[in-house]
Amino acid sequence: MARLHRHQLVHLTPAAWERLRTGARDAVERECLTLWASRGLPLVVTQQRCDAGAEPASIAMGLSAPLRWESRRIGVSAARSEVMFFDEFPAARAVSKLLPASARAAWDDLCRAAFACGVQPRVYGSYGWQALSAMVHVRADSDADLWVGVTDAGQADQVAALLAGAEIPGLRLDGELVFDGDNAVSWREWLTWRAGGVRSILVKSMGGSRLVTELGEIVRDVKAAA
């Protein structure tokens, strides 16, 4: 049974889509869900309504609608038996053509540098949804949100420094470092915390959010960390 993790995508069965469309809260939500179902588009796993260590009977999930529906956030739930398969948001290198032309060379350089660090950044948020749906999600002021899976604090330091030093013309980078698929921190906040600028850092997981002060509360193996 697949373990849920942050930013994970879910593809549902036709029967599940019909149930969700029938139970839509209003006409706008029904229209959006109908289009999602007809195109076989995914939903994203969201915060779960149980302890992070337990397997929920149903999975909380949702989507961020395109601009034609005012970027409405729609939340639903489905049983695991209604899931056909899980997937991931696109790799950063795959969305270069969605970016302003002036940003593409620097973006490609960033992707290559991340690969050299042993990580695979993935794009979520507006750019991620636009890559998936082929509809307009990106606004003029949209950030490029990246989530990067990291194995330890040393790699997290390296990746956060790489992102902080990247200069992408006309584009602001944001996003998360994700440890072991679940403990996620803003890479900007990570840099400040590691430098001693703040005493605690906000950690997000499938079960909720919490403030932590110790590295061991985020990273399981801290031998090579501090």
Side-chain angles (χ1 to χ4, degrees):
M1 183 176 290
R3 179 187 174 194
L4 301 179
H5 65 78
R6 286 181 64 76
H7 310 300
Q8 188 174 26
L9 298 181
V10 183
H11 288 264
L12 296 180
T13 64
W17 277 120
E18 183 58 30
R19 178 180 63 78
L20 294 179
R21 287 194 326 102
T22 301
R25 296 171 181 82
D26 55 35
V28 171
E29 184 169 302
R30 184 174 298 105
E31 184 181 356
C32 184
L33 292 174
T34 298
L35 185 144
W36 238 246
S38 68
R39 296 190 180 182
L41 294 172
L43 300 168
V44 66
V45 173
T46 57
Q47 182 176 316
Q48 302 303 297
R49 302 182 183 90
C50 69
D51 181 79
E55 290 296 340
S58 62
I59 303 173
M61 58 189 74
L63 65 90
S64 180
L67 297 187
R68 62 186 286 188
W69 289 300
E70 299 180 345
S71 303
R72 180 188 288 203
R73 294 184 181 276
I74 298 175
V76 298
S77 64
R80 278 185 173 265
S81 60
E82 295 179 304
V83 175
M84 291 197 300
F85 61 94
F86 294 97
D87 204 352
E88 301 292 346
F89 274 103
R93 66 176 186 274
V95 304
S96 180
K97 291 184 178 179
L98 292 181
L99 306 178
S102 61
R104 293 173 191 169
W107 181 266
D108 292 341
D109 288 343
L110 174 62
C111 292
R112 284 190 289 269
F115 181 78
C117 293
V119 297
Q120 171 73 284
R122 293 187 178 276
V123 181
Y124 66 105
S126 298
Y127 280 97
W129 283 114
Q130 186 156 316
L132 291 170
S133 73
M135 292 179 281
V136 180
H137 293 255
V138 176
R139 301 178 185 273
D141 60 350
S142 292
D143 293 341
D145 295 308
L146 299 174
W147 79 265
V148 186
V150 291
T151 57
D152 55 43
Q155 189 177 57
D157 290 341
Q158 187 179 19
V159 172
L162 174 66
L163 295 173
E167 296 184 4
I168 314 292
L171 199 63
R172 181 182 184 273
L173 295 179
D174 206 355
E176 298 180 340
L177 305 172
V178 183
F179 295 84
D180 193 31
D182 196 24
N183 286 334
V185 298
S186 159
W187 61 262
R188 294 181 184 277
E189 293 178 11
W190 173 265
L191 285 172
T192 302
W193 184 61
R194 291 285 278 170
V198 292
R199 295 185 60 186
S200 61
I201 186 170
L202 181 67
V203 178
K204 298 178 181 179
S205 67
M206 296 306 299
S209 302
R210 65 196 189 280
L211 285 172
V212 306
T213 58
E214 300 295 329
L215 187 60
E217 297 180 70
I218 306 173
V219 188
R220 291 182 179 179
D221 183 1
V222 298
K223 294 177 183 178

